[in-house]
Each structure stands twice: as structure tokens, then as C-alpha cells.
Amino acid sequence: MSATIIDGKAFAANVRAKVAEHVTRLKDDHGIKPGLAVVLVGEDPASQVYVRSKGKQTTEVGMNSYEHKLNADTSEADLLALIARLNADPEVHGILVQLPLPGHLNEDLVINAIDPAKDVDGFHISNVGLLGTGQKSMVPCTPLGCLMMLRDHHGSLSGLNAVVVGRSNIVGKPMAQLLLGDSCTVTIAHSRTKDLPEVVRGADIVVAAVGRPEMVPGDWIKPGATVIDVGINRIDAPEKGDGKTRLVGDVHFESCAEVAGAITPVPGGVGPMTIACLLANTVTACCRANGLPEPQGLTA
Ligand code: GUN
């Protein structure tokens, strides 16, 4: 293996420390305590794990955490009423509605009901438009985490060829916008892309966000390229024993690490950065709401 391993766990701990430092300053100098409200509708087990983890990390950096757990059959009107209350609450600086929502709820309608200034996920249509036009916005957490690691590794990204594999609203599209904002030449590839291996071979930076286990093999990677693996897939691992599983990314780690210059592992790469960036966005939103300077290095 020749690639440098980009340690997302350590990077995330560093981001959290910077957030905690800023939270202390907000309290000491201004008497302000940032608050994050997380709304979970239903009992999806993976979502429950994420929400618990978000709450724990929010209080660990010294912020207030407000959890709202609603029944799976909650009506759209009740959910919108809760969002209106959170929008109006001056103690709440960030609002996150955990996705996916149960099928009877219109996700676009719900997300667009959040005050864009409190939309720490960066999913509101206003924030999507602001990001797309290079204006100050709330930036989706996972792509923001990827950008921070890429900037740290490369310094300037200017002029590099970046291929984003995956075109989701949560990762692929905002990731492409951020890379474009840092003057990369950006290609968004997806399931219909012709000759995907050849497209990926042209990349100095590959961001894989497709949700398909180990889809990108080492022979698609240009020697020395940086590989950011957003995928978190649980697959069977019979070699570990009956019924055992393990986590893998969207890239085939061993073969890609042979060729890449740098690579994020799974677990311990992009994953830990997502919640760290959520905390960073909450502090940023709190500073903006109070007309105070934003923390440096924690935004796009
Ligand atoms: N579900 C999976 N990822 C996310 C995320 O980044 N934000 C929200 N709100 N829900 C998610």
C-alpha cells in the first residue's frame, strides 16, 4: 500500500475542538449558548443511532441539544407546526430534520419550511441556490467535511480535475458545487455515464458517493490521485464467522490504496466528519444570527 491514509476520525476531533473553543468564547464574551434541534419522525434504527450520536456530540462541545421524537404516523401539519415553533425559538440556532421521512410526508415541503438561516443541513432550496451561485450559505455537512479534508491535504485545489461519482442532492451535487467554487474542473458521473472507468482515470480527485459497495476498483484510479470515499455499506463477512458483517465504502480500499496518493478509509474517513460539520454549521448559524464573526476554517 502506498497511499497516505486521510484520518477522518482525527480530523473530526480537531473540528470539534475548534467548535468547542468557539462555543466557549460565545458564552464567555456574549452570554450566548448555541442550540441545535434535531427532529426524528418514526423508528428507523439507523436514524435513531445517528440522532443519538448527534445529541451526544452536540452537548460534548458545550451546545444545547433539543431532540424531538415524533411518532411514525405524525401528520404533515403537526410536523410543520413544530418546525414553525423551532424557527421562532431564539434559543434554537440550527434545525435538522432527520431523513428519510415516512412516506406520507413530503420531504421537500418539510425541508423548505425550515428557516434557511437555521438550515444546518444546507438542504433548503434557498441554500442550494446560494451555494450554486457562490454566495454565503449553509453548506451540506458531508460535502463540507470532504472539502475540508481535501483542502488540508492539497492546500489549493485550483485547476485539479475532480470526478464526483453520484448525483444525489445530499452529497454529489453540493460536492460538485464546492469543488467548482475552489476552481476544480468538475465532472459529475453517475449510473448512466459512458465509460465510467475512463472518466474516473482522468481524475486528480475522486469523490465516490453512490452507495454501492466497493464499486470503484484500483485500476480506475490515476496514480497519485486523492480518493474520498463517502460510501458506508454493510456487507456480509463470512470470513469473520456465521452471520457476521463489516463496513465497506464505495471504493475497493485495498486496490485503490495501492495506486492512490491519498485515500479516506471506511470506517474512520468521511463518516466522522459529517457530524463534526453539523456542529460547525450550528456555531456558524449562531454567529450569523447574532451578527458576530464566524469561526475561521469551519465554513466553505
Ligand atoms: N440522513 C442521512 N444523512 C442525512 C443528513 O446528512 N441529514 C439529514 N437530515 N438526514 C440524513
Side-chain angles (χ1 to χ4, degrees), residues 258-288:
E258 294 285 331
V259 209
I263 187 167
T264 59
V266 176
V270 174
M273 284 298 285
T274 298
I275 297 182
C277 287
L278 173 68
L279 305 177
N281 276 350
T282 305
V283 161
T284 299
C286 178
C287 291
R288 288 179 187 171

Side-chain angles (χ1 to χ4, degrees), residues 47 50 54 96-100 111 121 123 141-142 170 274:
S47 292
Y50 283 129
K54 283 168 188 166
L96 178 146
V97 177
Q98 185 67 30
L99 303 177
I111 295 303
D121 257 329
F123 294 165
C141 304
T142 300
I170 292 184
T274 298

